[in-house]
């Protein structure tokens, strides 16, 4: 009886490890998500630049959350460690030759990928509900903005403006977290994500 119990535990551990490994389908799905959102993020990048110049950084930061969409979508669908980073990295590679920032876009995408993985690492890759997506992207959006305070010169602005920039960044993250959950559920209903039905929770 004891030997049977031990064998069962070993088998369970093996299956758990296998479940966490990427397969070809995972890479293809992550890649497709990355390419789609690379062009979304490309448009957002130019929109952000235009908004910053015309209406100021407070309103421009409402676009923040979209820069995390690729990684969050990939992880909310595939649910395997590292897949969010891979998706963000692929998106960054696609975007690199199409923006005036060059390799810095790829560097930013890699940082975003690491931050995205951190959110789900803290939940042990077990929770993908709307609150996790919204709060996680909200926090990352704020962190992303804080990292740009120096290069963007936000530190020299009036304190109320700085607070407003952080507030709109948080709002953007929460909205994009909600959008990520809605998009995932909508894709599941179409049947295009056969094999990933667990993403409904």
């Amino acid at each position: 009886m004891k030997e049977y119990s031990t064998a069962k535990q070993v088998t369970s551990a093996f299956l758990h490890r296998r479940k966490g490994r990427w397969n070809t389908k995972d890479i293809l799905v992550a890649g497709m998500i990355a390419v789609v959102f690379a062009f979304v993020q490309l448009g957002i990048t130019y929109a952000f630049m235009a908004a910053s110049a015309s209406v100021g950084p407070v309103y421009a930061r409402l676009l923040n959350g979209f820069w995390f969409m690729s990684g969050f979508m990939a992880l909310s669908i595939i649910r395997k460690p590292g897949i969010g980073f891979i998706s963000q990295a692929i998106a960054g590679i696609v975007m690199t030759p199409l923006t005036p920032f060059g390799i810095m876009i790829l560097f930013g995408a890699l940082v975003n990928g690491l931050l995205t993985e951190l959110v789900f690492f803290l939940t042990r890759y077990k929770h993908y509900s709307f609150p996790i997506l919204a709060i996680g992207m909200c926090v990352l959006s704020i962190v992303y903005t804080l990292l740009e305070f120096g290069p963007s010169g936000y530190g020299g602005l009036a304190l109320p403006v700085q607070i407003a920039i952080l507030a709109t960044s948080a709002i953007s993250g929460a909205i994009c977290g909600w959008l990520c959950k809605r998009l995932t559920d909508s894709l599941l209903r179409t049947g295009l994500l056969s094999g990933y039905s667990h993403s409904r929770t």
Side-chain angles (χ1 to χ4, degrees), residues 124-161:
R124 300 178 65 185
Y125 294 92
K126 291 183 178 180
H127 302 288
Y128 300 85
S129 62
F130 164 68
I132 294 298
L133 296 178
I135 294 172
M137 204 177 290
C138 175
V139 172
L140 293 194
S141 186
I142 293 173
V143 171
Y144 182 84
T145 299
L146 287 173
L147 291 175
E148 291 198 337
F149 250 62
S152 299
Y154 294 161
L157 300 174
L159 183 59
V161 177

Side-chain angles (χ1 to χ4, degrees), residues 68 71 75 84-86 88-89 108-118:
F68 295 96
L75 270 169
F85 177 80
I86 290 298
Q88 285 285 157
L110 295 178
V111 171
N112 289 350
L114 289 173
L115 292 173
T116 298
E117 290 289 337
L118 179 60

Side-chain angles (χ1 to χ4, degrees), residues 35-185:
V35 171
V36 170
F37 279 101
F39 287 98
V40 171
Q41 290 168 215
L42 185 64
I44 292 297
T45 298
Y46 283 103
F48 177 84
M49 292 164 55
S52 295
S54 58
V55 295
V58 173
Y59 295 103
R61 286 292 162 181
L62 286 170
L63 301 172
N64 251 32
F66 287 97
W67 282 307
F68 295 96
M69 287 291 289
S70 176
F72 268 74
M73 279 291 294
L75 270 169
S76 65
I77 291 169
I78 301 170
R79 300 189 173 190
K80 293 183 179 180
I83 210 72
F85 177 80
I86 290 298
S87 186
Q88 285 285 157
I90 295 172
I93 291 170
V94 173
M95 292 174 63
T96 295
L98 303 175
T99 75
F101 303 108
I103 198 67
M104 289 304 296
I105 280 288
L106 177 58
F107 176 75
L110 295 178
V111 171
N112 289 350
L114 289 173
L115 292 173
T116 298
E117 290 289 337
L118 179 60
V119 170
F120 295 95
F121 173 78
L122 293 175
T123 68
R124 300 178 65 185
Y125 294 92
K126 291 183 178 180
H127 302 288
Y128 300 85
S129 62
F130 164 68
I132 294 298
L133 296 178
I135 294 172
M137 204 177 290
C138 175
V139 172
L140 293 194
S141 186
I142 293 173
V143 171
Y144 182 84
T145 299
L146 287 173
L147 291 175
E148 291 198 337
F149 250 62
S152 299
Y154 294 161
L157 300 174
L159 183 59
V161 177
Q162 294 183 38
I163 294 173
I165 289 173
L166 292 175
T168 53
S169 296
I171 292 169
S172 174
I175 291 173
C176 286
W178 170 82
L179 181 60
C180 182
K181 182 63 174 173
R182 290 297 301 270
L183 286 174
T184 300
D185 291 344

